[in-house]
Amino acid sequence: MSRLILFSFVLLFGVSCISNKRITYLQNLPENEPIGLDEFIPFAEYEKNYILQPFDVVDIDFASANEELTKAFEFQGSRNMRMGGAGMMGAGDMFFLTGYALDSEGNVDLPRLGKIKIGGLNEEQAKLKVQEAINEYFKDEVYVRLRIGGIRFTALGEFSSSGTKTILKHRATIFDAISMAGESNILAKKNKLFLIRQYDGGSKIHQINLNDRALLASPYYFIQNNDILYLEPMKIRQFGNAENFSASLGLIISVTTSLLLLFALVTGNL
């Protein structure tokens, strides 16, 4: 009987134990050169200026000493909505309501100026192109401000709060995104975070290892607008989620122990 109890405890330990190596962020993995504490880690080459794509939403605002000029170039009430409605709905939503959406060909349709192609340009290049268009329309100086309404990304899989999120920054790391989506639970494969990134004319899937300290020098350390993050669950997930996992294991061990005890009684080993 003592052997049966010992076997049950060994089974419980073996099934329920998840190694810290699978759940700890930013480790020095054996296959990589170790990165010590306080060691300087230069950023990898990455696209610092997001390239505008079809269906993106940009906020375009105008300023001039002549207030009547600026009113001619914005939709009625959009400025008041930005000032008064941001507190009620959140700044990220206001960009969608008051901003300008690029069409399928990358054009933005502005009052009086008509369609201007800014797809394929970064923010500064797009701003200059709109500035050139308005300078041809008016001799008076009109200042143009163009920006993306934060970094929008989608989190799916083993996050505590999945869905589409908006980080109101011009630059954000993968850990900013994870923090906003809710840190992944213990049953997530932190070595298999899939990043689906939009490129000109298509998408690519990249795999990220959150356990790896070398991630800090990866070109995917910084997220971009329209990124999709999918965090895969461990195979052990089939036994239950993080909240009921212990209860599921307890049930499995109880059933196993009962079957072993019954077998021992039948075979006369007790």
Side-chain angles (χ1 to χ4, degrees):
M1 183 65 177
S2 59
R3 291 181 179 179
L4 181 63
I5 296 174
L6 178 61
F7 176 77
S8 299
F9 275 110
V10 171
L11 180 63
L12 174 62
F13 179 79
V15 175
S16 62
C17 183
I18 297 177
S19 171
N20 279 338
K21 291 182 179 180
R22 301 181 70 179
I23 61 177
T24 303
Y25 293 114
L26 301 179
Q27 304 169 57
N28 273 318
L29 300 184
E31 62 268 22
N32 297 332
E33 286 291 328
I35 300 174
L37 296 178
D38 301 320
E39 182 177 338
F40 180 75
I41 306 171
F43 294 138
E45 290 292 328
Y46 75 104
E47 186 57 59
K48 297 181 177 62
N49 293 313
Y50 174 73
I51 302 301
L52 294 171
Q53 302 174 29
F55 309 113
D56 277 346
V57 177
V58 293
D59 179 62
I60 304 177
D61 201 9
F62 306 94
S64 172
N66 186 345
E67 187 68 18
E68 295 301 317
L69 292 182
T70 60
K71 289 181 179 179
F73 290 97
E74 67 175 23
F75 287 108
Q76 187 174 6
S78 61
R79 182 175 296 182
N80 292 334
M81 288 179 66
R82 280 195 295 267
M83 296 176 62
M88 295 183 293
M89 299 186 61
D93 294 329
M94 293 311 300
F95 278 112
F96 181 77
L97 292 176
T98 66
Y100 298 87
L102 279 65
D103 63 20
S104 60
E105 297 180 353
N107 298 311
V108 61
D109 194 1
L110 297 176
R112 296 188 180 268
L113 299 179
K115 290 187 176 182
I116 302 174
K117 186 173 180 60
I118 59 174
L121 306 177
N122 61 35
E123 286 185 43
E124 184 61 27
Q125 293 169 335
K127 170 192 166 184
L128 292 175
K129 194 161 186 179
V130 175
Q131 185 75 66
E132 291 173 359
I134 204 169
N135 286 345
E136 292 180 3
Y137 200 93
F138 277 120
K139 293 182 179 179
D140 301 68
E141 185 175 349
V142 178
Y143 174 77
V144 175
R145 183 180 67 178
L146 183 148
R147 56 182 175 171
I148 299 172
I151 300 173
R152 286 174 170 79
F153 70 96
T154 300
L156 301 172
E158 294 298 301
F159 293 102
S160 61
S161 175
S162 59
T164 301
K165 314 289 182 182
T166 303
I167 300 178
L168 296 179
K169 292 182 178 181
H170 284 297
R171 188 175 76 171
T173 70
I174 192 72
F175 291 106
D176 289 325
I178 291 172
S179 176
M180 177 166 282
E183 187 179 14
S184 59
N185 66 51
I186 197 172
L187 299 181
K189 286 185 179 179
K190 290 187 171 63
N191 65 332
K192 281 193 176 181
L193 172 64
F194 293 103
L195 185 152
I196 304 171
R197 176 156 291 175
Q198 311 300 314
Y199 294 92
D200 187 18
S203 304
K204 291 183 182 179
I205 301 176
H206 307 286
Q207 184 174 323
I208 296 173
N209 187 351
L210 298 174
N211 300 136
D212 191 356
R213 190 171 292 187
L215 170 62
L216 300 178
S218 164
Y220 311 115
Y221 180 57
F222 293 100
I223 66 168
Q224 294 185 7
N225 206 32
N226 298 320
D227 277 354
I228 300 173
L229 307 179
Y230 172 66
L231 193 55
E232 190 173 291
M234 295 182 185
K235 290 183 179 179
I236 202 170
R237 185 72 159 82
Q238 60 187 302
F239 293 109
N241 58 31
E243 288 74 28
N244 65 17
F245 185 56
S246 297
S248 300
L249 281 174
L251 177 62
I252 293 170
I253 297 303
S254 298
V255 172
T256 304
T257 304
S258 299
L259 291 174
L260 289 173
L261 180 60
L262 180 61
F263 177 77
L265 288 171
V266 171
T267 58
N269 291 329
L270 287 180

